């Protein structure tokens, strides 16, 4: 039987995967990970600014991102949670750009 354990331990996140009652994978992650190009994240909409046709979404407690409204689902409102992918990294003072149209690559994608 396979089990997945995901829990908070001090200021880190613990992930454990058990296969046939034996640990197969164990990992610790920082609570606020570094956001990289291509990462898919569950973000919360903080503000929608119609005159620039964009929404600002919160990726982590200290990291905001820019979401063009053309790429957002219809009826998006402040407080909604949406899955986004980082399409352009932050540059100097500008926040990263995200999209709801994911591009998944790699050897495990079919």
């Amino acid at each position: 039987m396979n089990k997945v354990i995901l829990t908070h331990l001090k200021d880190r996140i613990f992930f454990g995967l058990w296969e046939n009652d034996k640990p197969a994978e164990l990992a610790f992650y920082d609570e606020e990970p570094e956001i990289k190009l291509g990462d898919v994240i569950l973000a919360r909409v903080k503000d929608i600014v119609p005159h620039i046709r964009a929404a600002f979404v919160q990726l982590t407690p200290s990291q905001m991102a820019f979401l063009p409204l053309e790429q957002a689902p219809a009826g998006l409102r402040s407080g909604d949670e949406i899955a986004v992918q980082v399409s352009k990294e932050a540059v100097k003072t500008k926040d990263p750009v995200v999209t709801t149209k994911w591009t998944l690559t790699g050897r495990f994608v079919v």
Side-chain angles (χ1 to χ4, degrees):
M1 184 166 135
N2 295 343
K3 293 181 190 177
V4 174
I5 295 177
L6 189 63
T7 188
H8 224 244
L9 190 61
K10 294 189 181 181
D11 60 342
R12 302 187 86 194
I13 296 171
F14 171 75
F15 168 80
L17 173 64
W18 272 257
E19 293 177 350
N20 300 322
D21 295 325
K22 293 182 182 178
E25 185 177 340
L26 302 173
F28 282 95
Y29 298 98
D30 292 331
E31 191 168 333
E32 194 168 317
E34 179 184 340
I35 306 297
K36 300 181 300 286
L37 185 65
D39 286 353
V40 176
I41 302 149
L42 185 62
R44 181 175 301 278
V45 178
K46 283 297 184 184
D47 193 20
I48 296 175
V49 186
H51 68 276
I52 63 170
R53 295 186 314 272
F56 290 94
V57 297
Q58 187 171 16
L59 304 177
T60 66
S62 65
Q63 179 70 57
M64 297 294 287
F66 179 87
L67 172 66
L69 286 180
E70 300 87 45
Q71 298 177 10
L76 188 68
R77 295 180 299 183
S78 290
D80 288 353
E81 284 188 332
I82 56 171
V84 295
Q85 183 177 34
V86 178
S87 59
K88 190 186 257 187
E89 291 181 329
V91 177
K92 296 185 183 181
T93 61
K94 295 192 180 219
D95 291 329
V97 177
V98 295
T99 181
T100 57
K101 298 173 181 157
W102 305 351
T103 303
L104 301 175
T105 59
R107 63 182 181 165
F108 297 114
V109 177
V110 177

